[in-house]
Amino acid sequence: MCGIAGFTAADERSIRAMTDIIAHRGPDDSGILIEPGLSLGHRRLSIIDLSECGHQPMLNEDGSIVVVYNGEIYNSPELRHRLEAKGHRFRGHCDTEVIAPAYQEYGPACVTEFQGMFAFALWDRNRRRLLLARDRIGIKPLYYYHHGDLLIFASEVKAILEHPDVPREVDEQALFEYLGYEFVPAPRTLFRGIRKLRQGHTLIFENGMCKEEPYWDLHFEHGSLSPREEERRLAEILETAVRRRLLSDVPVGAFLSGGLDSSALVGFMSRHMKETLRTYTIGYEDPTFSELPYARIVSRHVGSEHHELMIDPLTPERIRKAVWHLDEPMTDLSSVPLMLISERARRDVKVCLSGEGGDELFMGYDRFRASRLNHRLRPIPAPLRRLGFQCVAVLPDQPQKKGMINMLKRFAEGALLPEDGEHMRWQYFLNADIIQKLFQSDYLRSVDAEIFAPIRRIAEGCAEACREDREVYIDIRMAMADSVLMKVDKMSMATSLEVRVPFLDHEFVEFSAMLHPSRKLHGMTTKAIFREAMRDLLPPEIVGRGKQGYSIPIKNWLREDLRDFMVATITQCPLVHRTLRADAVNSLIDEHLSRRHNHNHILWALINLSLWYETFIHRSTAAAASHAG
């Protein structure tokens, strides 16, 4: 895994600064290239071919093409053979070497030949063309800033901010979307003018013009295989994806939560690894948040060398460090635990496999079940439904993670939101009443306050699909790319650890789209087909258990250990004062502390927003770098 940076001008000081600030992404090697109209920088984390053959920026055989690249192309051995047959020659066995010759053979469409996770920049010296590309699913991030003849790009926003021509300003629309979704939907970022290159897209900068285009999308065409054949093929394709991701010249481990997805990966890994399999999990004193017993069952089942990390209440220092590495705030409650378990794993291994993607592909989240339940309640007259939801929504919050009351409250809160939010209504944490009370009126007039406009735009790409397929599509094109995968990349790379996600092999993703939704969510049983496919691989208590996931008891910590930190951080932030009403913010804090309501999602979002503003806008990046530790 690596970090890349560059821009369309010659400036050694700026490219060195951009490359240096993402040194955590690649501590093993670095390189820059500067020529008229171009500066490129690279930081390398050596995984495949540890020799100097993997040094970047990398030139092709005749020096006409230059590449900086982040990721892994798992089919590079097969591609190498095909390209050798066409006359190309290679120095080593690094996967980066296939990019330039593939471009020579196929042009920008070369991206469709690559199977894996990647973000790269390719400079075609003859055409004076800069090509940026991001993998189909969006596993690896890539950001850019375009103004006139200047295009600046990098693996992380903080590198772009090192360029003197990039302003540090807040994107007001992105701020509104962040506080509801808890992440910023692409292509925006919270920085005005800095954009995400969207998943499955390329960007060509040529003759001063920027052209971003999609090269991949997910289509739902249900197949005609028998249930048994579907289960067999599912297990077969996933096992192949796992085996491909074991390709490495350094030690490989796995994150093991004890949930179905990570357990399946560990089960397949144990079949193909010659060395001892190392597994890593986290736990908490509160058993309703901890999955340690299940992870131990799986570890014993596969015979792994198992490591557990107990997480105490988070310290302000750890939270600040996570915010610095995330670049823009996102409030997935597993982000800081993921950084901590990555830090622990990095002592032993350089690569870990992880189970991201299974819940999106096989409808494993509670929001899919909530949507189905809400759909089944439609025969009840709308006024009666709404009255019932309103009564349930005011029930007092309970301290455990889920529980019947907490789940009913969350269901009612989502059901009261507009239907164009699809299943993401149950992952949205504002409503019309809170919005009117919370935001300054001048601020609201300056933004598009249609809360589900981003979802409607994405849903248009899957308009012909049935409701359940459309929900899966939205999850993959939005929440997974802009929240889950951004979190995984930033929190693992903060510790120089590469994380690979076999569920997001694009062939496996495409196969899952052929399965009828009833095979995924059967009644109210999530991941039904996947459970059946894994019965011969895993213990029955793992196959049958529900979703829990990495999380933290943040709602309780905000009432206890982090109480003073929360109050001071939020109430002293200039951005909070400028956009939100002080009385409404104080009311949210009071209601949460008194346990009348659970506002941990909004309050945690405001904490992260305040720290982000202090780190990246209010102060210089140079000062902020001290938080990286």
Side-chain angles (χ1 to χ4, degrees), residues 448-474:
D448 178 2
E450 288 288 329
I451 60 176
F452 294 137
I455 291 176
R456 289 200 303 271
R457 287 194 294 269
I458 291 172
E460 288 173 359
C462 196
E464 302 303 317
C466 67
R467 176 178 57 84
E468 292 96 335
D469 282 341
R470 191 169 62 247
E471 290 173 352
V472 169
Y473 182 85
I474 291 167

Side-chain angles (χ1 to χ4, degrees), residues 383-395 412-413 415-416:
L384 283 179
R385 273 186 288 137
R386 188 167 189 83
L387 179 61
F389 295 151
Q390 289 170 339
C391 292
V392 172
V394 298
L395 291 172
E413 290 165 355
L416 288 167

Side-chain angles (χ1 to χ4, degrees), residues 61-277:
E61 300 140 280
D62 63 8
S64 63
I65 296 172
V66 188
V67 172
V68 287
Y69 156 76
N70 168 32
E72 302 289 351
I73 297 174
Y74 301 115
N75 66 331
S76 62
E78 300 96 311
L79 270 176
R80 182 183 300 266
H81 292 315
R82 284 166 46 195
L83 293 168
E84 284 176 334
K86 292 178 179 290
H88 297 278
R89 295 294 174 260
F90 300 91
R91 294 191 306 147
H93 64 277
C94 177
D95 55 331
T96 311
E97 290 188 274
V98 303
I99 297 174
Y103 171 81
Q104 289 176 281
E105 295 296 331
Y106 309 112
C110 65
V111 290
T112 63
E113 302 294 321
F114 303 147
Q115 185 168 39
M117 55 181 186
F118 55 82
F120 67 82
L122 181 149
W123 175 241
D124 185 331
R125 282 170 162 165
N126 295 332
R127 291 181 174 86
R128 307 293 294 173
R129 171 196 287 171
L130 181 63
L131 168 67
L132 305 183
R134 191 176 177 200
D135 66 69
R136 296 167 179 81
I137 313 298
I139 303 169
K140 292 291 99 186
L142 193 58
Y143 303 88
Y144 69 94
Y145 172 86
H146 176 220
H147 182 73
D149 291 333
L150 182 63
L151 178 70
I152 308 171
F153 66 88
S155 299
E156 297 188 11
V157 173
K158 63 177 65 67
I160 294 177
L161 294 174
E162 285 296 292
H163 195 285
D165 291 346
V166 178
R168 293 169 180 259
E169 299 173 349
V170 179
D171 184 314
E172 304 291 351
Q173 182 65 41
L175 171 60
F176 179 79
E177 293 172 2
Y178 160 73
L179 286 176
Y181 292 105
E182 301 189 313
F183 61 89
V184 179
R188 294 182 183 274
T189 72
L190 207 46
F191 299 87
R192 187 191 303 275
I194 300 178
R195 297 168 69 86
K196 302 178 181 86
L197 182 61
R198 285 169 285 186
Q199 58 178 188
H201 278 63
T202 59
L203 184 150
I204 293 178
F205 186 76
E206 194 171 11
N207 299 321
M209 302 293 291
C210 236
K211 187 177 183 181
E212 183 176 341
E213 289 188 334
Y215 67 88
W216 180 87
D217 203 355
L218 184 61
H219 302 284
F220 295 86
E221 297 179 5
H222 301 151
S224 57
L225 298 176
S226 69
R228 288 288 187 187
E229 183 64 13
E230 285 180 338
E231 293 161 18
R232 186 192 68 78
R233 287 287 294 142
L234 186 155
E236 181 182 83
I237 297 171
L238 182 59
E239 184 168 11
T240 298
V242 170
R243 190 175 68 249
R244 282 175 175 159
R245 282 154 184 80
L246 296 178
L247 178 65
S248 174
D249 293 331
V250 296
V252 177
F255 293 140
L256 175 60
S257 68
L260 180 60
D261 300 335
S262 65
S263 299
L265 299 187
V266 167
F268 285 130
M269 291 174 73
S270 68
R271 291 181 175 181
H272 297 283
M273 290 184 66
K274 296 178 181 178
E275 65 273 20
T276 300
L277 171 58

